[in-house]
Amino acid sequence: MDDASLPDGASGRTVAAPTRREVYEAEVRRRSNRIALISTASVVLAIVFLVPLAPGWEAVQRSFFNGRVFAATFPGLLNAFLLNVMIFAWSAPLIAVTGLAIALCRDTRAPALFPLRLFGIAYTDIFRGLPVVLVIYIIGFGVPGLGLPRPWNSPYIWGTLALVLVYSAYVAEVIRSGIDSIHQSQRSAAASLGLSERDTMRFVVLPQAIRNVVPANMNLFIALQKDVALLSFIGPVEVFRQAGVYKSLYANFTPYVGAALIFLVLTIPATRYADYLMNKQNRART
Amino acid sequence: MTAKLSLRGVRKRFGDHEVCKGIDLDVADGEMVCLIGASGSGKSTLLRCMNLLEPIDDGTIWLDGTDISEPGLDPQPVRQQIGIVFQSYNLFPHMTAAENVMLAPRRVYGRSRDVLRPQVERLFSRFGLGDRMDHYPDQLSGGQQQRVAIIRALAMEPQIMLFDEITSALDPELVGEVLDVLRDLRGQGMTMVLATHEMGFARELADKVCFLDAGRILEQGPPDELFSAPREARTKAFLSRVL
Ligand SMILES: Nc1ncnc2c1ncn2[C@@H]1O[C@H](COP(=O)(O)OP(=O)(O)O)[C@@H](O)[C@H]1O
Ligand SMILES: [Mg+2]
């Protein structure tokens, strides 16, 4: 009876025949897929049919999801987004290097370097304690206010500096947690071979620490990609600012939706990839 | 005969807990000394004190007649003289076996990979790992990893080797290949101190066996004496549990 689904009369099962368990699991899988499909479809249908019944739907559709405005502004938005990409591209390496340097400052043990350690602590406390936009305002408006000559009054320079200050503080903390996560026995092994503390850090601890925190740092850099838009407050016309310009021009909010789409196309795959790396690492650790 | 390594009244505490309570021990040149004793009796700590991985609180350690326990002394030159291998291998997981072995000679002695590679190749083949040099630690079995760890310590050309229960983490069928390495080193006249639970091995090869009990060397002597005619009741009790 149990073997009803198996090839007839096979006492020794043929190689390809699924086991009882496989048959059962396949059935369970089919059933849960069916249920998931039905429930998703009903939610989507409800949204599609119910939302347009809302009294303000017509107006919302006109001002946020206007196909004509979308087509007219999207190429311009993409073009403006290039500026986001560029700011990101030069900020990211600066942040990585500064973050590493700050992490190492915080980790120094020599008494002569105590001021460095103090500096590292103050740095990470201050810049993690402030809203990004506030740092951008203070530095982006404050420093050029000193009346510096061109090109030193450029908002690109000071905006970038603001991003580097804030994000390197976070990166430093992430790297430091990576350094802490390396087991003491690795340092013992290095010390027992006569390696100096410096070499131990450089060749044994840091390479492992940095590898361990790649996913966490990726999440930071995804956040950075979004926060580049904040520089628009001090001048640069990147995609968010450009969307604002189009909004005024067309008296329509659709450009903002277009800008949002551009961000999502980039950030969703990146977030997925970071999660994938994180899961892979967690699995490797157990 | 002056001892290669000499400990007198060595004390070590962690907080309120004194783990070594005045250890006297002499290791002669070319001798193999085994430390036995229950888990927690202080074997690992004693070994770690010998190559200054743990600073001692009191007492003296002499290496070739030089006091190496002087507070403030630079431990690095001492550690080059006294290698240690741990129970948990502690290989660097992000480096190949060969890179693990070459790192310290490169950085500490300033030798180039080109110079080191042939020497390292010889060591790997001597211990049956000729074809595993460019594998990463997680591609090696426990026994192979432990042999790489031994090679890594040997590559610093130490005068004394310390082994801390280096077979305890291994599957039983892998223990033999690691003990063979120790046998080989013994044949070469390496001075060695082992913390071990391999009583048969200690009995076969040790010059001297020390029984540690709660931070003291309760009894020591040649293996035949200590194993067949222990004087102390606690030694007898321990041996009857493990033999
Ligand atoms: N770093 C440490 N900090 C605090 N206690 C320790 C430390 N290392 C060892 N001990 C304690 O010292 C005692 C002896 O440990 P250990 O030397 O590892 O013994 P054995 O190797 O003989 O098992 C144990 O009680 C252990 O808990
Ligand atoms: Mg131990």
Side-chain angles (χ1 to χ4, degrees), chain B residues 14 17 19 38-45 54 165:
Chain B
F14 293 110
H17 180 27
V19 179
S39 159
S41 57
K43 304 181 295 294
S44 300
T45 306
E54 299 284 356
E165 294 194 31

